């Protein structure tokens, strides 16, 4: 606001001097500095006094990526700090052992289904026992369950991004061997689908803030850009986790809250 007022005044003063309406004497030369001093005393300082201030925190969720199956890593197509979409491939584990196991179970299941059909026909002709039919049916059910597990393990050899975000602290390389037990993360995934800003307000000013109020976030390194989210919750917070972030409302009625962020 102060920059806008000073810009308008300087433009107006230049125009008046250029058309000859005023003489550019010592008073008019010093007038921009006098105006800046008046704006600082009458506008900038009171706005700072009347605004709630407090440290805050901008955070995102970090997901530890742990593979569901063990094996040798054959491909790591991601690069650190590169935006990813949900479902993008993070890395691949050698699928050959799991494909072989899947084919073996499919062959056993095919044979068990054939035996089950034969035993059923014998039982219907009174040439077989019901126990044999039940035993073959149990084998088919067991192999069907093992087939589902084998398909699941084969699918999990390709590890994908759980949400939008990026990978950080990437030390995994092709040829490394990963294990699912014990649980040991192989990389960290930063979830950017839900970014939250937590602001700590002094107790005396907390009465002016409530869930659902309009909030505008501005950045010091990019003052022209703003993000208009809404406040979602209001609760007590400890001193832990505070950072250099200031919250200043636009008006004295606290109807809007401005968050000023700096790197």
């Amino acid at each position: 606001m102060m920059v806008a007022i000073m810009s308008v005044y300087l433009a107006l003063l230049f125009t008046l001097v250029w058309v000859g309406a005023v003489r550019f004497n010592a008073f008019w030369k010093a007038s921009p500095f006098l105006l800046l001093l008046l704006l600082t005393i009458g506008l900038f300082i009171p706005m700072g006094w009347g605004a709630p201030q407090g440290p805050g925190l901008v955070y995102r969720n970090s997901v530890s990526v742990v593979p569901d199956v063990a094996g040798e890593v054959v491909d790591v197509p991601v690069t650190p700090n590169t935006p990813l979409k949900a479902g993008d491939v993070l890395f691949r584990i050698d699928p050959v052992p799991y494909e072989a196991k899947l084919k073996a179970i499919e062959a056993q299941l095919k044979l068990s289904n054939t035996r089950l059909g034969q035993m059923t026909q014998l039982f219907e002709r009174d040439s077989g026992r019901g126990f044999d039919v039940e035993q073959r049916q149990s084998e088919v059910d067991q192999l069907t369950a093992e087939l589902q597990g084998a398909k699941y393990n084969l699918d999990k050899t390709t590890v994908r991004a759980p949400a939008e975000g990026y990978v950080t602290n990437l030390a995994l390389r092709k040829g490394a061997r990963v294990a699912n037990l014990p649980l040991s993360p192989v990389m960290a995934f930063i979830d950017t689908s839900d970014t939250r800003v937590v602001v700590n307000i002094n107790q005396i000013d907390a009465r002016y803030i409530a869930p659902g109020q309009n909030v505008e976030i501005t950045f010091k390194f990019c003052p022209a850009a703003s993000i208009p989210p809404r406040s979602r919750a209001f609760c007590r917070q400890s001193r832990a986790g505070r950072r250099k972030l200031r919250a200043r409302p636009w008006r004295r009625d606290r109807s809007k809250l401005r968050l000023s962020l700096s790197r």
Side-chain angles (χ1 to χ4, degrees), residues 64-187:
S64 298
V65 179
V66 180
D68 291 321
V69 295
E72 180 182 350
V73 177
V74 295
D75 187 22
V76 185
V78 296
T79 55
N81 304 320
T82 301
L84 299 171
K85 296 181 180 180
D88 287 350
V89 177
L90 299 180
F91 63 95
R92 293 185 176 90
I93 300 173
D94 188 6
V96 174
Y98 299 95
E99 291 175 349
K101 185 175 181 179
L102 177 62
K103 292 179 179 179
I105 295 176
E106 287 178 343
Q108 292 177 7
L109 180 60
K110 182 178 180 180
L111 179 60
S112 296
N113 281 323
T114 301
R115 289 178 177 176
L116 175 62
Q118 293 174 351
M119 291 298 176
T120 303
Q121 290 179 359
L122 292 175
F123 178 73
E124 290 176 351
R125 297 174 182 174
D126 295 331
S127 299
R129 298 181 303 173
F131 174 78
D132 294 334
V133 175
E134 293 178 357
Q135 186 178 13
R136 297 303 178 186
Q137 183 64 52
S138 176
E139 292 178 359
V140 170
D141 294 340
Q142 182 178 357
L143 289 173
T144 301
E146 292 180 1
L147 180 64
Q148 293 178 353
K151 290 181 178 179
Y152 175 83
N153 290 335
L154 180 60
D155 181 68
K156 290 302 179 179
T157 56
T158 301
V159 181
R160 303 181 182 274
E164 294 183 357
Y166 59 91
V167 173
T168 185
N169 297 331
L170 180 60
L172 187 66
R173 293 293 183 270
K174 180 180 178 180
R177 189 168 186 84
V178 296
N180 55 340
L181 291 176
L183 298 179
S184 55
V186 296
M187 64 177 63

Side-chain angles (χ1 to χ4, degrees), residues 171-215:
L172 187 66
R173 293 293 183 270
K174 180 180 178 180
R177 189 168 186 84
V178 296
N180 55 340
L181 291 176
L183 298 179
S184 55
V186 296
M187 64 177 63
F189 182 85
I190 307 300
D191 184 0
T192 60
S193 61
D194 185 16
T195 301
R196 301 187 180 186
V197 180
V198 179
V199 180
N200 185 281
I201 303 299
N202 294 331
Q203 184 177 1
I204 192 172
D205 297 318
R207 53 183 174 172
Y208 299 112
I209 302 172
Q213 285 182 320
N214 294 327
V215 177

